Amino acid sequence: GESVGLHLPTLSVQEGDNSIINCAYSNSASDYFIWYKQESGKGPQFIIDIRSNMDKRQGQRVTVLLNKTVKHLSLQIAATQPGDSAVYFCAENNNDMRFGAGTRLTVKP
Amino acid sequence: SQTIHQWPATLVQPVGSPLSLECTVEGTSNPNLYWYRQAAGRGLQLLFYSVGIGQISSEVPQNLSASRPQDRQFILSSKKLLLSDSGFYLCAWSYGSSYEQYFGPGTRLTVT
């Protein structure tokens, strides 16, 4: 069936480096995607979204890239900080939202 | 601004006991409301959603139920909890046709 998944379950980066978190989706009809950040024991927090008619969208220190050809979504975090440590997961919309399991990002000082 | 509340934050209940989790939204009217369960290492599983008072759609068959007695109140219930009901329960809201959902702080439920 259709699913949203992530390439890596964990990612460890040095403080100040850039982070790239990847997400593969299988439903080519999905028209909207969101990246969420979830800190331990808390609810997910919206980071950035992108519609399928776009390839790239930038926010504050974050960029989302959408490659519809290979059905791949990525989240780039510039100058990663300790406060960025969390689980990041993507969600896709095709009539309803489907969520991936997430990647745990750990930032080393 | 809109805020969403969930309580309790944590709950430990024995197998076979009833459950009632509450979610309320402030600062908006006619929200779409959702209940999700998040198991460790897994994505969010949609349990119920509601587009209005008394309107509940169930996504998966289970021993849980949901009710929406007021516009901004969403309740998740069970008559008899199972061990498999343990997890992190999240309430979320969205507005109108917007896809973006805003999540509450969650309730950690442990069934023993």
Side-chain angles (χ1 to χ4, degrees):
Chain A
E2 306 290 355
S3 64
V4 177
L6 293 168
H7 292 313
L8 297 173
T10 61
L11 177 65
S12 183
V13 300
Q14 203 70 36
E15 181 179 358
D17 288 352
N18 297 333
S19 302
I20 300 177
I21 301 170
N22 297 304
C23 179
Y25 65 96
S26 57
N27 192 336
S28 57
S30 293
D31 59 357
Y32 178 73
F33 304 86
I34 299 178
W35 278 103
Y36 284 95
K37 172 186 179 183
Q38 187 174 20
E39 296 178 61
S40 181
K42 296 184 178 180
Q45 180 182 16
F46 172 91
I47 301 174
I48 192 168
D49 60 357
I50 189 168
R51 295 196 176 274
S52 59
N53 61 353
M54 302 172 67
D55 297 322
K56 178 179 179 179
R57 189 155 190 240
Q58 288 185 292
Q60 189 176 14
R61 280 202 307 119
V62 294
T63 301
V64 55
L65 298 177
L66 176 62
N67 186 331
K68 294 180 286 294
T69 302
V70 294
K71 289 180 281 189
H72 183 268
L73 191 70
S74 69
L75 176 70
Q76 300 178 2
I77 305 174
T80 314
Q81 303 168 0
D84 295 326
S85 294
V87 172
Y88 292 81
F89 59 88
C90 64
E92 63 174 328
N93 181 78
N94 179 28
N95 295 320
D96 57 11
M97 295 298 294
R98 300 287 177 177
F99 299 85
T103 292
R104 181 173 300 281
L105 174 66
T106 302
V107 181
K108 297 176 288 185
Chain B
S1 63
Q2 300 86 11
T3 56
I4 179 169
H5 304 279
Q6 283 185 247
W7 64 89
T10 60
L11 189 60
V12 180
Q13 291 284 97
V15 169
S17 64
L19 172 74
S20 181
L21 302 181
E22 189 163 343
C23 170
T24 58
V25 180
E26 295 178 358
T28 187
S29 59
N30 302 316
N32 302 314
L33 296 172
Y34 310 83
W35 276 113
Y36 290 91
R37 177 167 54 207
Q38 186 177 38
R42 294 192 160 188
L44 297 175
Q45 179 188 30
L46 179 63
L47 302 175
F48 302 94
Y49 69 93
S50 171
V51 298
I53 297 175
Q55 300 178 59
I56 309 294
S57 296
S58 175
E59 286 294 301
V60 293
Q62 58 212 322
N63 68 321
L64 299 171
S65 62
S67 61
R68 185 169 176 175
Q70 300 180 45
D71 182 44
R72 289 169 287 180
Q73 184 185 30
F74 206 22
I75 297 173
L76 182 69
S77 304
S78 174
K79 293 182 179 178
K80 289 185 178 181
L81 284 168
L82 305 173
L83 285 174
S84 58
D85 291 324
S86 293
F88 193 52
Y89 288 83
L90 288 159
C91 181
W93 73 275
S94 67
Y95 192 74
S97 58
S98 173
Y99 298 138
E100 188 176 334
Q101 296 181 21
Y102 301 91
F103 288 85
T107 295
R108 172 74 58 192
L109 172 66
T110 303
V111 182
T112 60

